[in-house]
Amino acid sequence: MKQVFKLIKAFIWEHKATYLVWLLLLGTQGLTLYLYDQTQAILGDTLLFSCLIIFSYTLVAFSRWQRKLK
């Protein structure tokens, strides 16, 4: 189990730029929705869809990265 966490940590560290850009874009989008006084439901849906996309990307990229390591 400890080995799995080391692999995940190494993967995230190697792809940190992708996740930082994602957080920056998500923050910008949240700020824009807040400034335009949109409902919290829109912000929640945006967060949910964005997390779904980044989670899907992570699964695919991690499996490719792990295959490349082997």
Side-chain angles (χ1 to χ4, degrees):
M1 191 67 157
K2 204 171 190 181
Q3 183 73 12
V4 173
F5 286 124
K6 279 186 174 184
L7 276 176
I8 292 170
K9 183 180 175 182
F11 172 78
I12 290 174
W13 185 253
E14 192 172 306
H15 293 86
K16 65 183 175 235
T18 302
Y19 294 107
L20 289 174
V21 167
W22 172 68
L23 286 173
L24 180 66
L25 290 173
L26 192 61
T28 303
Q29 191 171 22
L31 180 64
T32 302
L33 289 172
Y34 173 77
L35 291 175
Y36 280 97
D37 200 26
Q38 296 298 315
T39 63
Q40 295 239 336
I42 294 173
L43 184 59
D45 288 345
T46 301
L47 179 64
L48 178 68
F49 293 137
S50 179
C51 286
L52 180 65
I53 290 169
I54 199 70
F55 183 73
S56 299
Y57 163 78
T58 300
L59 286 177
V60 171
F62 183 75
S63 67
R64 287 182 181 172
W65 180 78
Q66 194 175 18
R67 249 185 277 134
K68 190 171 91 172
L69 282 179
K70 290 181 180 182

